[in-house]
Amino acid sequence: MTFHFKRNPLVPQKAVMDLIANFQTEGNLFGDGKRNKIKLFEVHGKTINIKSFKIPNLINKVAYKYFRKSKARRSFEYANILLENGIGTPEPIAYFENSTLAGLKDSYYVSEHLKCHLTYRELVEIPDYPDRDTILRQFTRFSYTLHQKGIEFMDHSPGNTLIKKTISGNYEFFLVDLNRMQFHKTMPFDVRMKNLCRLTPHKEMVAVMSNEYAKVSGEPEGLIFQTLWKMTTHFQHRFYRKKRLKKKLKFWK
């Protein structure tokens, strides 16, 4: 068993351990829980978010025990790296790994629960979302800041950026689902563009992002748009082809 706790004056360590121990029978389910399960708990007036990762297959059980860091540990460590770099993410509290000599059994990542006004997904699905252009441009600047700091958020997809509107009318961005990241001294142009290609299938949104990215980076807008749109269409093609294949393979369901 491995339990790593980041001291938090509002959340006692014992309370967190008790929540993990009672995870299966207590708490409020957040999301559909099809792969990983997230539950919310109240501790001293603060909402705690605990993510239980899907039990790995036999090979990964061994890999996560002896050769690789678990998803829970990576989520915790990457959250701290993001905060050290001034990048928003819900405050990390702890991670827990339950294992035997045969390998990892289950693991949990604990963080403060962040209430947001929207995610990037709303910008994709609601064309007339209020202040959409402003949010999209500020999000693009946020993404450029990630790239400047050498942070490659490999799950940079519509549901993984939480967005809060501030009192001043600007927007703050917070990353979630953190277990896949890479950190670079510098990020080449193609890597930066590929990092953005999963966000939207809409050409007009790619055009706005390309325009704003060009403003902050000084790179040619035409090159940004051409590269990003090509990578976007390629990703969408692979995504829907994979979806169709899964449907065929599971035709009996």
Side-chain angles (χ1 to χ4, degrees), residues 12 52 56 78 96-97 118 138 150 169 175 199 219 244 253:
S52 170
Y78 294 165
F96 175 86
E97 299 168 338
L118 71 152
Q138 290 187 15
L175 301 182
L199 289 161
E219 294 163 328
R244 288 193 298 270
K253 290 188 176 181

Side-chain angles (χ1 to χ4, degrees), residues 176-190:
V176 294
D177 202 357
L178 306 179
N179 67 86
R180 296 205 313 135
M181 288 193 176
Q182 288 190 14
F183 302 93
H184 310 264
K185 288 185 177 179
T186 58
M187 287 179 66
F189 178 77
D190 282 356

Side-chain angles (χ1 to χ4, degrees), residues 7 51 80 108 118 147 159 177 203 251:
R7 189 175 297 279
K51 184 173 186 177
N80 283 292
Y108 303 82
L118 71 152
H147 296 165
D177 202 357
K203 195 170 186 178
F251 64 92

Side-chain angles (χ1 to χ4, degrees), residues 8-164:
N8 188 314
L10 300 177
V11 185
Q13 179 173 333
K14 185 180 183 305
V16 174
M17 294 184 73
D18 289 343
L19 294 180
I20 293 173
N22 298 309
F23 182 85
Q24 297 303 327
T25 57
E26 298 181 5
N28 297 311
L29 187 65
F30 182 74
D32 57 29
K34 288 181 179 178
R35 289 178 61 233
N36 308 310
K37 186 178 290 186
I38 297 174
K39 284 190 172 182
L40 304 183
F41 300 83
E42 294 297 320
V43 179
H44 297 288
K46 182 174 285 294
T47 305
I48 303 302
N49 181 309
I50 302 183
K51 184 173 186 177
S52 170
F53 289 92
K54 181 180 177 181
I55 296 175
N57 60 38
L58 184 61
I59 294 174
N60 283 336
K61 281 178 184 286
V62 176
Y64 289 143
K65 168 68 175 177
Y66 296 105
F67 305 107
R68 296 181 63 199
K69 294 178 181 179
S70 70
K71 292 181 178 181
R73 179 176 176 178
R74 278 181 276 150
S75 297
F76 178 83
E77 293 181 351
Y78 294 165
N80 283 292
I81 292 173
L82 290 179
L83 293 177
E84 288 166 6
N85 280 274
I87 303 300
T89 191
E91 185 70 31
I93 294 174
Y95 74 87
F96 175 86
E97 299 168 338
N98 186 24
S99 58
T100 65
L101 289 175
L104 180 71
K105 291 176 65 180
D106 52 333
S107 60
Y108 303 82
Y109 171 56
V110 186
S111 66
E112 292 185 9
H113 184 67
L114 180 71
K115 293 182 180 179
C116 64
H117 295 104
L118 71 152
T119 68
Y120 185 96
R121 188 181 305 281
E122 278 75 15
L123 303 181
V124 177
E125 297 178 348
I126 308 173
D128 58 350
Y129 192 92
D131 218 12
R132 183 172 182 257
D133 186 81
T134 298
I135 302 171
L136 186 56
R137 290 182 182 277
Q138 290 187 15
F139 170 81
T140 303
R141 288 176 174 264
F142 167 74
S143 296
Y144 178 71
T145 299
L146 286 177
H147 296 165
Q148 286 294 98
K149 292 177 180 290
I151 299 170
E152 184 182 358
F153 180 38
M154 299 174 73
D155 283 320
H156 208 20
S157 54
N160 288 342
T161 299
L162 311 183
I163 305 173
K164 289 183 69 176

